[in-house]
Amino acid sequence: MKEIEFLYHGSRFLEEILKPNQTTGIGSLKDSLCAIYASQDRNFAIPFALSIMADESNSCVWKLSFEDGKPKIIIKTGKLDTSKVGYLYKVPIDAFEQIDGHQWVSYKPVKPIEYEIIDPNKYLHWIVKYE
């Protein structure tokens, strides 16, 4: 098995230092920690760099799944803002602890190794919108 050298963190914001935030994930408690989340899987982190915004009723609910290894973002309420870029950070693995097969967390601020700009238009084929 290949040793993991770094992790990925997706964000809508450009930051010099990543800071823990209270999340509002749906699912188990591990999806709602006050932490920085990261993944060893680039495709798992990219959706968090996309600007999925609340709808007119101030609701934003989406989930990520994989079909045949390909990401699928299911937007139940809200919409993707294709005019705003996001950021995919590489972060040092030694600042994180693994909490499941895809997710790692850090409870302390982390300085990214580097980042790349994520153009949401390149990921439109990942989006499924339920009306």
Side-chain angles (χ1 to χ4, degrees):
M1 185 170 148
K2 183 181 171 189
E3 185 174 331
I4 300 169
E5 298 177 23
F6 54 83
L7 300 170
Y8 295 98
H9 170 79
S11 176
R12 298 180 305 164
F13 308 105
L14 181 59
E15 305 282 352
E16 285 188 37
I17 303 290
L18 303 174
K19 297 177 183 161
N21 288 308
Q22 181 63 54
T23 58
T24 57
I26 55 175
S28 68
L29 290 177
K30 73 175 190 279
D31 295 328
S32 300
L33 301 172
C34 184
I36 303 164
Y37 284 79
S39 179
Q40 70 272 17
D41 184 340
R42 186 176 188 278
N43 287 342
F44 190 87
I46 287 173
F48 298 94
L50 301 176
S51 289
I52 302 174
M53 310 304 289
D55 62 14
E56 302 80 31
S57 63
N58 204 29
S59 178
C60 182
V61 177
W62 63 274
K63 71 177 190 171
L64 175 63
S65 67
F66 286 83
E67 288 184 7
D68 299 324
K70 295 179 183 166
K72 183 166 109 175
I73 302 166
I74 302 160
I75 300 176
K76 294 188 177 200
T77 61
K79 61 184 176 184
L80 175 65
D81 184 344
T82 58
S83 70
K84 294 182 180 171
V85 299
Y87 304 91
L88 185 66
Y89 295 94
K90 284 185 180 177
V91 293
I93 192 168
D94 60 355
F96 290 80
E97 61 184 70
Q98 191 167 15
I99 60 170
D100 67 21
H102 289 285
Q103 298 184 107
W104 299 62
V105 294
S106 175
Y107 299 104
K108 296 180 180 177
V110 173
K111 182 170 177 55
I113 299 166
E114 62 184 39
Y115 71 90
E116 68 180 277
I117 295 173
I118 298 297
D119 177 353
N121 294 292
K122 292 182 179 178
Y123 300 94
L124 294 176
H125 62 286
W126 288 10
I127 304 288
V128 176
K129 172 77 174 159
Y130 285 115
E131 308 261 3

